[in-house]
Amino acid sequence: MTKILLVEDEESIRKFVRINLEMEDYKVFEAESGEDGIKIAAEEKPDIAILDVMLPGIDGFQLCKFLRENYKGIGIIMLTAKSQDMDKIMGLEYGTDDYMTKPFNPKELILRVKSLERRLELKSDEKTDNLLEFPPFKIDTYQRRFYKDDVEIDLTPTEYMIVKIFMENPGKALKRDEILNLIWGYDYIGDSKIVDVNMRRVRSKIETEPAKPEFIETVWGVGYRWKSRP
Ligand code: CA
């Protein structure tokens, strides 16, 4: 059963989201503040966190940063009511896997959660070790680990999926929409900027000079291409 930590100070929204998630058989842990969220995360080790941005005490951004640093592999969806927050989510690169603006349709949130859940699946379909090598990189799709020069690089679930999709399509220019569909799902209603934010994060982790990418090149007007060959 997928465990979800829901941090939202507004009780009505919290209850409403909880009911909708529970109807889909998720185990939900509610927190009213970031501080509570940190405590519950330590006790319950949730798979996914849904975080409101505006919280009393530490805000959703700080909480996102904390969870990202302390719980490798957790999936994070941010909830926001303001367009300024959206810019912040997009610009500051906290490692959010997805976001939703309030008010939102609970069905849409469930779709986001399910899409994220697919990215989180711990074991892939492959039953044996499956190693793809593109020097200096190596990806183990069974263990979901990624290495550069044999040093493991920590990737968020979304970043891991991006790298995997590129390694499976070497040399191919992938369109932003294609990446969006492959990772966030065909029914994604949102901004393809989420792709660029995550691409920037991936580059900052795998490139020596992210401003002059050697491995993932931008194909102007199209999207991105993985340059390395197996
Ligand atoms: Ca709030």
Side-chain angles (χ1 to χ4, degrees):
M1 206 180 202
T2 301
K3 294 199 232 176
I4 299 181
L5 168 65
L6 170 62
V7 188
E8 164 65 271
D9 56 319
E10 273 170 79
E11 196 184 349
S12 57
I13 298 178
R14 210 169 59 233
K15 299 290 173 217
F16 163 79
V17 170
R18 178 191 193 130
I19 288 166
N20 278 282
L21 289 168
E22 284 179 346
M23 281 196 299
E24 298 290 325
D25 281 335
Y26 292 108
K27 177 90 185 122
V28 182
F29 301 94
E30 287 180 40
E32 288 177 43
S33 67
E35 288 80 355
D36 276 356
I38 287 174
K39 255 183 247 159
I40 295 172
E43 287 159 14
E44 304 296 342
K45 306 279 186 302
D47 305 291
I48 291 175
I50 300 176
L51 313 175
D52 185 35
V53 169
M54 287 273 282
L55 294 168
I58 69 163
D59 68 11
F61 291 125
Q62 290 168 281
L63 182 57
C64 175
K65 200 162 168 272
F66 176 87
L67 295 176
R68 197 42 96 210
E69 282 163 7
N70 291 277
Y71 302 98
K72 200 182 133 186
I74 193 170
I76 301 177
I77 299 175
M78 304 283 291
L79 303 178
T80 170
K82 292 191 300 184
S83 55
Q84 299 98 285
D85 288 342
M86 265 288 305
D87 295 343
K88 233 176 148 185
I89 293 174
M90 292 305 185
L92 290 178
E93 301 169 25
Y94 289 97
T96 311
D97 295 288
D98 212 335
Y99 65 90
M100 295 220 69
T101 31
K102 294 179 185 174
F104 53 83
N105 182 331
K107 288 198 181 73
E108 181 62 24
L109 180 64
I110 300 290
L111 290 176
R112 303 290 176 99
V113 168
K114 287 191 189 298
S115 159
L116 185 50
E117 221 180 357
R118 285 193 292 275
R119 267 168 270 162
L120 290 171
E121 269 163 25
L122 290 175
K123 293 261 158 67
S124 64
D125 301 334
E126 295 112 39
K127 290 281 176 277
T128 51
D129 285 1
N130 190 8
L131 213 58
L132 279 172
E133 288 196 54
F134 294 78
F137 303 107
K138 226 168 27 189
I139 189 168
D140 180 336
T141 59
Y142 184 67
Q143 303 225 10
R144 294 181 66 107
R145 288 170 189 269
F146 179 74
Y147 306 86
K148 182 180 184 184
D149 294 318
D150 291 320
V151 177
E152 187 173 3
I153 295 180
D154 280 346
L155 299 174
T156 67
T158 301
E159 292 158 8
Y160 171 83
M161 278 297 289
I162 288 176
V163 165
K164 183 168 181 271
I165 283 168
F166 275 102
M167 288 183 124
E168 287 168 347
N169 293 279
K172 187 183 173 202
L174 293 171
K175 296 190 191 97
R176 260 181 201 79
D177 283 353
E178 234 174 313
I179 300 169
L180 192 69
N181 290 339
L182 285 167
I183 296 174
W184 283 268
Y186 283 96
D187 31 34
Y188 192 82
I189 307 165
D191 203 317
S192 65
K193 259 195 261 172
I194 190 99
V195 175
D196 297 317
V197 176
N198 276 280
M199 292 303 302
R200 275 207 301 277
R201 279 180 59 89
V202 168
R203 275 178 170 163
S204 74
K205 290 181 179 183
I206 74 167
E207 300 281 357
T208 314
E209 274 187 85
K212 290 184 204 155
E214 270 177 272
F215 307 110
I216 298 179
E217 72 179 335
T218 302
V219 185
W220 294 107
V222 180
Y224 301 92
R225 175 169 32 221
W226 181 259
K227 282 161 82 178
S228 151
R229 295 267 167 195

